Protein backbone atom coordinates (compact mmCIF):
# COMPACT_ATOMS: atom_id res chain seq x y z
CA UNK A 1 0.00 0.00 0.00
CA UNK A 2 1.67 3.20 -1.21
CA UNK A 3 2.42 5.69 1.59
CA UNK A 4 2.71 8.87 -0.50
CA UNK A 5 1.22 8.72 -3.97
CA UNK A 6 1.19 11.42 -6.60
CA UNK A 7 -0.41 11.57 -10.00
CA UNK A 8 0.39 11.76 -12.79
CA UNK A 9 3.89 10.26 -12.97
CA UNK A 10 4.59 11.96 -16.29
CA UNK A 11 3.15 15.21 -17.64
CA UNK A 12 4.02 16.69 -21.02
CA UNK A 13 2.33 19.95 -21.92
CA UNK A 14 2.71 23.08 -23.99
CA UNK A 15 3.82 26.48 -22.76
CA UNK A 16 0.98 28.57 -21.47
CA UNK A 17 -1.18 25.65 -20.36
CA UNK A 18 -2.49 25.10 -16.83
CA UNK A 19 -1.92 21.76 -15.11
CA UNK A 20 -2.39 20.09 -11.72
CA UNK A 21 -0.52 17.45 -9.79
CA UNK A 22 -2.28 15.54 -7.03
CA UNK A 23 -0.76 14.07 -3.87
CA UNK A 24 -2.20 11.85 -1.17
CA UNK A 25 -0.60 10.31 1.92
CA UNK A 26 -2.04 7.49 4.04
CA UNK A 27 0.49 7.76 6.88
CA UNK A 28 -1.63 10.00 9.09
CA UNK A 29 1.03 12.73 8.97
CA UNK A 30 0.15 16.34 9.70
CA UNK A 31 2.74 18.04 7.47
CA UNK A 32 3.03 17.87 3.69
CA UNK A 33 5.51 19.39 1.24
CA UNK A 34 6.18 20.10 -2.38
CA UNK A 35 9.78 19.89 -3.57
CA UNK A 36 11.23 20.62 -7.01
CA UNK A 37 14.19 18.60 -8.30
CA UNK A 38 16.15 20.16 -11.14
CA UNK A 39 18.26 18.48 -13.79
CA UNK A 40 21.23 18.37 -11.40
CA UNK A 41 19.15 16.41 -8.90
CA UNK A 42 19.01 19.28 -6.39
CA UNK A 43 15.88 19.12 -4.23
CA UNK A 44 14.51 22.54 -3.33
CA UNK A 45 11.54 23.12 -1.08
CA UNK A 46 8.59 24.98 -2.56
CA UNK A 47 5.81 24.75 0.02
CA UNK A 48 5.08 23.29 3.45
CA UNK A 49 1.62 22.73 4.86
CA UNK A 50 0.76 21.80 8.42
CA UNK A 51 -2.78 20.71 9.23
CA UNK A 52 -4.01 22.22 5.95
CA UNK A 53 -2.37 25.58 6.62
CA UNK A 54 0.38 27.06 4.45
CA UNK A 55 3.52 27.43 6.56
CA UNK A 56 6.32 27.93 4.06
CA UNK A 57 6.30 29.48 0.59
CA UNK A 58 9.85 29.64 -0.68
CA UNK A 59 9.55 32.59 -3.08
CA UNK A 60 7.76 30.46 -5.61
CA UNK A 61 6.08 32.37 -8.48
CA UNK A 62 2.40 32.91 -7.82
CA UNK A 63 1.65 30.84 -10.93
CA UNK A 64 2.09 27.93 -8.52
CA UNK A 65 -0.85 27.50 -6.17
CA UNK A 66 -0.95 24.65 -3.67
CA UNK A 67 -4.22 23.54 -2.12
CA UNK A 68 -4.75 21.24 0.84
CA UNK A 69 -8.40 20.14 1.14
CA UNK A 70 -7.53 17.98 4.15
CA UNK A 71 -4.47 16.72 6.03
CA UNK A 72 -4.03 13.76 3.70
CA UNK A 73 -4.02 15.69 0.42
CA UNK A 74 -1.85 18.42 -1.05
CA UNK A 75 -2.35 19.35 -4.68
CA UNK A 76 -0.28 21.67 -6.85
CA UNK A 77 -1.82 23.75 -9.60
CA UNK A 78 0.41 25.54 -12.08
CA UNK A 79 -0.87 28.31 -14.35
CA UNK A 80 0.68 29.58 -17.57
CA UNK A 81 3.41 26.95 -17.70
CA UNK A 82 6.88 28.06 -18.81
CA UNK A 83 9.83 26.10 -20.20
CA UNK A 84 11.73 26.67 -16.95
CA UNK A 85 9.04 24.83 -15.00
CA UNK A 86 10.26 21.55 -16.49
CA UNK A 87 11.53 19.45 -13.58
CA UNK A 88 10.54 16.58 -11.32
CA UNK A 89 8.11 17.58 -8.58
CA UNK A 90 8.00 15.56 -5.38
CA UNK A 91 5.35 15.48 -2.74
CA UNK A 92 6.37 14.44 0.77
CA UNK A 93 4.92 14.15 4.26
CA UNK A 94 6.19 13.98 7.83
CA UNK A 95 4.89 14.01 11.38
CA UNK A 96 5.75 16.79 13.80
CA UNK A 97 6.10 16.78 17.58
CA UNK A 98 7.51 19.38 20.00
CA UNK A 99 9.00 21.49 17.21
CA UNK A 100 10.68 18.51 15.57
CA UNK A 101 9.72 16.41 12.57
CA UNK A 102 10.21 12.81 11.68
CA UNK A 103 11.87 11.92 8.45
CA UNK A 104 9.98 12.92 5.33
CA UNK A 105 8.46 10.24 3.12
CA UNK A 106 8.44 11.02 -0.58
CA UNK A 107 6.19 10.13 -3.46
CA UNK A 108 7.58 8.72 -6.70
CA UNK A 109 7.66 12.13 -8.36
CA UNK A 110 5.95 13.79 -11.32
CA UNK A 111 8.19 14.51 -14.28
CA UNK A 112 6.85 17.69 -15.87
CA UNK A 113 8.04 18.56 -19.36
CA UNK A 114 6.96 21.85 -20.88
CA UNK A 115 7.42 22.10 -24.66
CA UNK B 1 22.24 31.02 5.91
CA UNK B 2 21.39 27.34 6.35
CA UNK B 3 23.41 25.21 3.97
CA UNK B 4 24.23 21.58 3.22
CA UNK B 5 27.23 20.52 1.11
CA UNK B 6 27.95 16.95 0.03
CA UNK B 7 31.17 15.49 -1.29
CA UNK B 8 32.28 13.94 -3.47
CA UNK B 9 29.80 14.75 -6.22
CA UNK B 10 30.36 11.34 -7.77
CA UNK B 11 32.15 8.20 -6.61
CA UNK B 12 33.05 4.99 -8.41
CA UNK B 13 34.00 1.99 -6.30
CA UNK B 14 34.89 -1.58 -7.05
CA UNK B 15 32.70 -4.15 -5.37
CA UNK B 16 34.05 -4.67 -1.85
CA UNK B 17 35.95 -1.36 -1.78
CA UNK B 18 34.78 0.52 1.32
CA UNK B 19 34.51 4.32 1.37
CA UNK B 20 32.76 7.28 3.00
CA UNK B 21 30.48 10.05 1.80
CA UNK B 22 30.58 13.44 3.48
CA UNK B 23 27.80 15.87 4.37
CA UNK B 24 28.83 19.23 5.84
CA UNK B 25 26.15 21.49 7.22
CA UNK B 26 25.60 24.97 8.54
CA UNK B 27 22.28 25.37 10.30
CA UNK B 28 21.13 27.35 13.29
CA UNK B 29 19.90 24.79 15.77
CA UNK B 30 20.10 21.35 14.18
CA UNK B 31 16.86 19.46 14.73
CA UNK B 32 17.82 16.40 12.78
CA UNK B 33 20.06 15.18 9.95
CA UNK B 34 18.66 12.69 7.47
CA UNK B 35 20.21 10.39 4.89
CA UNK B 36 18.26 9.24 1.85
CA UNK B 37 18.93 6.99 -1.09
CA UNK B 38 17.48 7.88 -4.49
CA UNK B 39 17.33 5.47 -7.42
CA UNK B 40 16.77 6.76 -10.98
CA UNK B 41 13.14 7.63 -11.63
CA UNK B 42 12.13 7.23 -7.99
CA UNK B 43 11.60 9.39 -4.95
CA UNK B 44 14.16 9.61 -2.13
CA UNK B 45 14.00 6.63 0.22
CA UNK B 46 14.70 7.25 3.89
CA UNK B 47 17.79 5.59 5.41
CA UNK B 48 18.75 7.23 8.74
CA UNK B 49 17.98 10.05 11.15
CA UNK B 50 20.65 11.47 13.45
CA UNK B 51 19.81 14.02 16.12
CA UNK B 52 22.93 14.72 18.16
CA UNK B 53 26.72 14.76 17.78
CA UNK B 54 28.25 11.38 18.50
CA UNK B 55 25.19 9.47 17.38
CA UNK B 56 25.64 6.53 14.99
CA UNK B 57 23.14 4.40 13.07
CA UNK B 58 23.74 1.21 11.06
CA UNK B 59 21.83 -0.71 8.44
CA UNK B 60 23.39 -3.60 6.55
CA UNK B 61 26.49 -2.20 4.81
CA UNK B 62 25.73 1.42 5.72
CA UNK B 63 26.71 3.35 8.83
CA UNK B 64 25.92 7.00 9.45
CA UNK B 65 27.76 9.18 11.98
CA UNK B 66 27.28 12.76 13.12
CA UNK B 67 29.53 15.50 14.49
CA UNK B 68 28.70 19.14 15.19
CA UNK B 69 29.65 20.16 11.66
CA UNK B 70 29.30 17.12 9.43
CA UNK B 71 27.97 13.65 8.90
CA UNK B 72 29.52 10.67 7.20
CA UNK B 73 27.87 7.77 5.46
CA UNK B 74 30.28 4.85 5.56
CA UNK B 75 29.76 2.07 3.04
CA UNK B 76 31.47 -1.20 3.93
CA UNK B 77 32.15 -3.78 1.21
CA UNK B 78 29.63 -2.27 -1.20
CA UNK B 79 27.75 -4.28 -3.79
CA UNK B 80 26.50 -3.17 -7.22
CA UNK B 81 22.98 -2.84 -5.80
CA UNK B 82 24.24 -0.06 -3.54
CA UNK B 83 24.64 2.14 -6.64
CA UNK B 84 22.37 5.16 -6.24
CA UNK B 85 22.42 8.85 -5.38
CA UNK B 86 22.76 9.44 -1.64
CA UNK B 87 21.19 12.61 -0.31
CA UNK B 88 21.75 14.34 2.99
CA UNK B 89 19.21 16.75 4.49
CA UNK B 90 18.95 18.83 7.65
CA UNK B 91 15.83 19.97 9.38
CA UNK B 92 15.96 23.77 9.42
CA UNK B 93 12.99 25.00 11.36
CA UNK B 94 10.00 22.82 12.06
CA UNK B 95 8.61 22.58 8.55
CA UNK B 96 11.60 22.61 6.24
CA UNK B 97 14.27 20.16 5.14
CA UNK B 98 17.31 21.51 3.29
CA UNK B 99 18.97 19.02 0.99
CA UNK B 100 22.50 18.74 -0.29
CA UNK B 101 23.20 18.12 -3.97
CA UNK B 102 23.88 14.45 -3.39
CA UNK B 103 26.65 11.96 -4.12
CA UNK B 104 26.20 9.69 -7.14
CA UNK B 105 27.65 6.31 -6.19
CA UNK B 106 28.48 3.67 -8.76
CA UNK B 107 29.69 0.26 -7.55
CA UNK B 108 31.31 -1.87 -10.22
CA UNK B 109 31.11 -5.67 -10.16
Amino acid sequence: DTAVSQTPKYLVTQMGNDKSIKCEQNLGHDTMYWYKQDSKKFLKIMFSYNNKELIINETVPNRFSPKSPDKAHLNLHINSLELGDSAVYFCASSQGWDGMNTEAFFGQGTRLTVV
Amino acid sequence: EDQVTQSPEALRLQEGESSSLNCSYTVSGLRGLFWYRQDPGKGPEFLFTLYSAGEEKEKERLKATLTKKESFLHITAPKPEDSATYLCAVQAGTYKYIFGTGTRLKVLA
Side-chain angles (χ1 to χ4, degrees), chain A residues 12-81:
Chain A
V12 181
T13 188
Q14 291 187 327
M15 276 195 308
N17 282 351
D18 303 338
K19 290 293 179 185
S20 293
I21 306 171
K22 294 186 176 182
C23 179
E24 176 182 5
Q25 55 98 0
N26 63 5
L27 298 167
H29 289 165
D30 59 6
T31 306
M32 294 186 73
Y33 312 82
W34 279 110
Y35 276 82
K36 180 180 180 180
Q37 189 170 49
D38 61 24
S39 56
K40 294 187 177 181
K41 304 297 184 185
F42 179 59
L43 270 166
K44 184 172 169 58
I45 190 166
M46 299 173 69
F47 303 103
S48 292
Y49 269 75
N50 179 254
N51 287 318
K52 302 191 300 177
E53 286 191 30
L54 178 65
I55 304 295
I56 288 178
N57 178 341
E58 284 285 302
T59 60
V60 178
N62 57 14
R63 296 183 296 105
F64 291 78
S65 53
K67 281 191 172 50
S68 181
D70 55 58
K71 279 178 25 174
H73 296 84
L74 180 61
N75 303 322
L76 184 65
H77 187 76
I78 315 170
N79 289 327
S80 303
L81 278 155

Side-chain angles (χ1 to χ4, degrees), chain A residues 35 37 48 99 101-102 104, chain B residues 31 36 38 91 94-95 97 99:
Chain A
Y35 276 82
Q37 189 170 49
S48 292
N101 273 76
T102 65
Chain B
R31 300 186 188 198
Y36 288 84
Q38 187 175 21
Q91 187 182 350
T94 307
Y95 303 109
Y97 302 89
F99 280 81

